[in-house]
Amino acid sequence: MPTPRSLGRLAATLAGVALLTSTLTAQARELSVSTVLSDAFPWGQAAQQWADLVEERSGGELTLRVYPNAQLVSGDQTREFSAMRSGLIDLAVGSTINWSPQVPALNLFSLPFLLPDEAAVDAVTGGEAGEMIFSAIEDKGVVPLGWGENGFRQLSNSSGDIDAPADLEGLKIRVVGSPLFQDTFSALGANPTQMSWADAKPALTTGAVDGQENPLSVFDVARIDQVGQAHLTLWNYMNDPLVFASNRQVWESLSEEQRTLLRETAVEAGAWEIAKSRSEQADRLAAIRERGVSVTELSEAQHQAFVDATRSVHDDWVPRIGEEIVEAARRDIDAP
């Protein structure tokens, strides 16, 4: 039969366990992660992979809750960076396009036809220019942690095949909220119409706009062919890297171990997503063709015509982006 002393020790032990459990629970922390697309898309899968890695390796001490479809900014993807900088969002896996109005250096990736292929993208994000861009992001109060990729953006429309700048004349093309996109499509003779992705599909359905530009993954998963987009041109006119990042105050509130964990898992999730996304491109294109979409692949001469038609965009935008960053990117691309 337990003695009063042993009962006292048991009670003390239980109280200690309860206190320890309470302390561990209090230390557990959940951070919000914003993305524009859900985990039906590689972009959203990147955020979920990050969350899974963090939870697994922190033992539940640190968890990430993913909020897809730009929920934390009421669907307005162009507000995501500002919301993270102000502390309304803890973390994000965001598009360089959507963040470019607040970080001009990010417009580098949207310069038409600057990046010829995936090797060039990797050279820039992993090179001198990539470091300069991360510094520019950090100067704005956000801590960049790693790269992902939404991919090269292709052009679709409901009117006909496009293989020359003249084919774009007068077409209403949905673009994201970046002035550089407005200038690029204006230079090609189109009528660029800015709207969020949430508004894009309804506009395509009603014919309020004639076309749009997005990576193959978005065209495929969102079934853009079902809203009249029966013509697709593969022109790789710009690439849309993703950035894993943290609000600065959140970052500074974390322990050194948590920061290391968050950065390492961001880099790992980004590399996983880039490889996955690229490996799926051929199958996506085959599926799109099988659904009856007319796919146009440009010859070298046809591609050059688009390059020539958009040279004025480079003239106007290189000074805004920063000539040093653009020159660094060109060195990265040309490096053996």
Side-chain angles (χ1 to χ4, degrees):
M1 184 172 181
T3 66
R5 178 176 294 180
S6 64
L7 287 173
R9 285 199 295 266
L10 178 60
T13 301
L14 292 174
V17 170
L19 178 60
L20 177 61
T21 302
S22 176
T23 300
L24 291 173
T25 301
Q27 290 176 343
R29 186 169 178 188
E30 180 180 280
L31 302 177
S32 62
V33 183
S34 174
T35 68
V36 169
L37 296 179
S38 72
D39 61 5
F41 302 83
W43 185 345
Q45 291 164 7
Q48 190 57 54
Q49 177 73 357
W50 191 18
D52 291 344
L53 289 172
V54 167
E55 182 169 13
E56 173 189 332
R57 294 180 190 174
S58 74
E61 177 186 336
L62 189 64
T63 59
L64 310 186
R65 182 176 180 184
V66 179
Y67 292 84
N69 304 315
Q71 291 177 48
L72 300 178
V73 284
S74 303
D76 185 353
Q77 59 215 58
T78 60
R79 289 175 47 216
E80 184 178 65
F81 188 86
S82 296
M84 181 166 48
R85 183 171 54 187
S86 68
L88 295 176
I89 292 172
D90 297 327
L91 310 171
V93 180
S95 160
T96 55
I97 298 171
N98 292 335
W99 294 3
S100 63
Q102 287 80 41
V103 187
L106 290 174
N107 285 296
L108 173 76
F109 299 103
S110 299
L111 277 175
F113 306 104
L114 173 69
L115 300 164
D117 51 33
E118 291 168 347
V121 176
D122 294 342
V124 171
T125 56
E128 181 185 3
E131 292 178 0
M132 295 170 74
I133 287 169
F134 267 23
S135 293
I137 294 173
E138 192 146 13
D139 287 344
K140 297 292 185 179
V142 167
V143 181
L145 305 175
W147 294 99
E149 184 174 87
N150 199 23
F152 279 104
R153 297 175 79 90
Q154 317 299 355
L155 176 67
S156 74
N157 80 101
S158 58
S159 297
D161 294 342
I162 293 175
D163 59 20
D167 297 330
L168 275 162
E169 188 70 37
L171 289 185
K172 292 175 288 185
I173 305 295
R174 175 266 173 180
V175 297
V176 296
S178 167
L180 198 161
F181 282 70
Q182 301 269 352
D183 291 352
T184 296
F185 281 91
S186 293
L188 292 168
N191 178 14
T193 304
Q194 177 186 329
M195 61 180 63
S196 70
W197 179 240
D199 296 330
K201 284 192 74 174
L204 293 167
T205 301
T206 63
V209 292
D210 302 304
Q212 62 86 51
E213 48 76 55
N214 254 307
L216 286 181
S217 61
V218 176
F219 189 97
D220 182 31
V221 177
R223 295 302 302 269
I224 297 178
D225 51 292
Q226 292 183 338
V227 291
Q229 299 294 286
H231 307 273
L232 178 67
T233 298
L234 305 180
W235 64 340
N236 284 13
Y237 85 113
M238 60 83 61
N239 192 277
D240 182 19
L242 304 174
V243 178
F244 293 70
S246 171
N247 165 271
R248 177 177 289 165
Q249 286 72 36
V250 167
W251 181 254
E252 291 176 349
S253 73
L254 298 172
S255 68
E256 194 63 38
E257 292 78 10
Q258 289 172 327
R259 292 182 197 177
T260 298
L261 172 67
L262 211 55
R263 190 186 298 276
E264 288 180 349
T265 51
V267 170
E268 186 175 332
W272 173 87
E273 183 265 342
I274 291 170
K276 184 176 188 294
S277 179
R278 291 179 182 180
S279 69
E280 293 171 347
Q281 292 300 297
D283 288 344
R284 290 195 187 282
L285 184 57
I288 290 167
R289 289 183 192 273
E290 288 174 4
R291 296 201 295 266
V293 175
S294 175
V295 178
T296 298
E297 299 188 56
L298 303 178
S299 68
E300 186 174 335
Q302 289 170 331
H303 180 269
Q304 189 60 44
F306 284 101
V307 173
D308 294 341
T310 53
R311 288 195 191 280
S312 62
V313 180
H314 285 244
D315 295 338
D316 291 341
W317 277 88
V318 168
R320 304 190 212 182
I321 295 167
E323 293 187 7
E324 289 185 0
I325 290 178
V326 176
E327 285 306 312
R330 288 174 175 150
R331 288 194 298 272
D332 291 336
I333 294 169
D334 294 338

